[in-house]
Amino acid sequence: MDITEFSKPANKPAPGPVLGIETSCDETGVALLRWEPEAPGRGLLAHTLYSQIKLHADYGGVVPELASRDHVRKLLPLIREALAEAGLTAQDLGGVAYTAGPGLVGALLVGASAGRALAWGLGVPAIGVHHMEGHLLAPLLEDNPPEPPFVALLVSGGHSLLVEVKAIGQYTILGDTLDDAAGEAFDKTAKMMGLPYPGGPALAKLAEQGRQGAFRFSRPMTDRPGLDFSFSGLKTQVLLAWQQSDQSEQTRADIARAFEEAIVDTLIIKCRRALQASGAQRLVIAGGVGANRRLRNELAAAGVKDGFQTYFPRLDFCTDNGAMIALAGAIRLASGQHQDMSVQVYPRWDLQTLPAA
């Protein structure tokens, strides 16, 4: 990966846009964002994304080594594409933000190495961004951004978190998954029923054809106090129901609907509890599962009924993307935070350890 084309003398005279790089798993995301505190979304100059879905489809899941190698191939072309879209050159950049964790260590190292090297060559500051903070802040890119305090539901293939946000960088985890994350449960359940990869979106689409009430599954851990999640038992219920059924196409759709309803109901119950416990009146929903239509509709309806406001990023920014990393990085760089030239990534990283911005 040759980055010499991006080098320049140090001592940049004025701050420019931040380059955001996302390579934590199987999507290579790049974005350019000029920090505008009053309306962060207006500062988004360009964003581009490459998905590795086709690369991993034959394996039924992400192969870490293949993911890393593909990031190496795609990252610099995407950076060039984003710069061209924004009408900028690398020398116009004022900083670089890259995902430093959590995620696949090899994939993280690709983005971190490139981001750190670019920053050094350009003489601009760089900062490693927490992937889940990026998701948490993604709704700030919309026209009606939420203001802290709020509760965030972060649901993806690897995480199911309820987070109390008192200010940017001041996070308290209220609930976490004890086993499978919500997105992981979607993918594994879809695979059990023979749906194509990636399973989560395929299952959600199939659920639209299911009949209400044909099957019913439990709402895990809602029969006791607490805000933690557990979806492994629900996955087993679905497996047994599928194995004992006629396995027709209609039955497949009916089971998919019942499974999706169970996941969505569980998330809504926990969100209501978290809002009550924290006293917040705003709920942010982000992460890949945040793109689920049933979840978005029913949480919005719950907000109208209970009197809390819901905030979703646009569908493009629910899944992994460079824009959320550019935003999180821009906020921290604007507050004076940056890191030295060492390349460090964190496959596991507690969100609560982040400093305030």
Side-chain angles (χ1 to χ4, degrees):
M1 196 162 48
D2 182 7
I3 64 162
T4 55
E5 66 184 277
F6 298 112
S7 64
K8 64 160 284 184
N11 301 320
K12 185 173 180 64
V18 172
L19 171 69
I21 297 173
E22 158 59 29
T23 62
S24 64
C25 190
D26 62 340
E27 285 161 321
T28 313
V30 172
L32 293 162
L33 182 137
R34 192 183 306 278
W35 175 233
E36 295 189 13
E38 300 303 320
R42 287 207 300 265
L44 184 62
L45 306 177
H47 73 95
T48 183
L49 183 74
Y50 176 78
S51 174
Q52 300 177 0
I53 286 177
K54 291 182 179 179
L55 176 66
H56 301 288
D58 290 342
Y59 305 95
V62 176
V63 181
E65 179 63 18
L66 294 180
S68 302
R69 290 173 182 268
D70 212 43
H71 287 309
V72 171
R73 285 190 290 267
K74 300 297 183 182
L75 182 54
L76 290 188
L78 287 176
I79 291 174
R80 296 187 191 101
E81 182 181 332
L83 287 168
E85 181 182 335
L88 300 172
T89 68
Q91 286 70 32
D92 296 314
L93 296 177
V96 178
Y98 56 87
T99 303
L104 302 175
V105 64
L108 291 168
L109 281 169
V110 174
S113 300
R116 178 58 57 189
L118 285 169
W120 179 83
L122 294 167
V124 298
I127 191 163
V129 170
H130 194 295
H131 181 74
M132 298 313 293
E133 182 175 50
H135 277 303
L136 186 153
L137 298 177
L140 271 64
L141 293 165
E142 305 307 322
D143 292 335
N144 181 32
E147 293 185 4
F150 56 78
V151 168
L153 172 67
L154 306 180
V155 275
S156 64
H159 299 84
S160 294
L161 295 173
L162 278 166
V163 183
E164 181 181 12
V165 180
K166 295 179 181 177
I168 295 176
Q170 296 182 20
Y171 307 130
T172 301
I173 294 179
L174 304 175
D176 199 351
T177 182
L178 303 181
D179 39 61
D180 290 350
E184 185 180 10
F186 264 99
D187 289 340
K188 289 181 177 179
T189 299
K191 188 173 183 179
M192 288 189 307
M193 295 199 298
L195 295 176
Y197 176 85
L203 188 147
K205 184 176 181 179
L206 181 63
E208 296 176 0
Q209 304 169 28
R211 297 171 296 183
Q212 185 175 13
F215 289 85
R216 178 175 172 80
F217 301 116
S218 64
R219 277 54 176 163
M221 296 184 68
T222 60
D223 59 349
R224 69 201 77 174
L227 296 172
D228 287 332
F229 302 96
S230 172
F231 295 114
S232 62
L234 175 60
K235 186 178 61 182
T236 302
Q237 289 182 54
V238 174
L239 175 62
L240 293 175
W242 174 245
Q243 289 177 337
Q244 296 168 9
S245 73
D246 59 10
Q247 299 190 4
S248 66
E249 287 303 311
Q250 184 59 57
T251 297
R252 194 195 309 265
D254 292 342
I255 291 176
R257 173 166 180 160
F259 170 80
E260 184 183 57
E261 288 175 341
I263 292 279
V264 169
D265 286 353
T266 300
L267 294 176
I268 292 174
I269 290 168
K270 298 287 186 171
C271 284
R272 281 175 157 149
R273 290 181 183 178
L275 289 166
Q276 184 175 15
S278 68
Q281 294 297 312
R282 303 181 185 92
L283 178 68
V284 162
I285 304 93
V289 180
N292 180 274
R293 183 181 303 175
R294 187 182 302 276
L295 178 64
R296 294 171 81 95
N297 291 342
E298 296 197 11
L299 268 177
V304 172
K305 180 178 180 181
D306 294 0
F308 62 85
Q309 293 177 284
T310 53
Y311 299 86
F312 301 88
R314 70 196 76 169
L315 295 181
D316 286 348
F317 294 161
C318 285
T319 53
D320 296 350
N321 63 87
M324 68 183 193
I325 303 304
L327 173 63
I331 290 172
R332 293 193 172 274
L333 289 171
S335 70
Q337 297 180 22
H338 60 88
Q339 293 157 339
D340 60 29
M341 290 189 295
S342 62
V343 177
Q344 298 183 11
V345 297
Y346 310 95
R348 293 182 180 275
W349 192 359
D350 187 349
L351 187 66
Q352 298 172 114
T353 63
L354 295 180

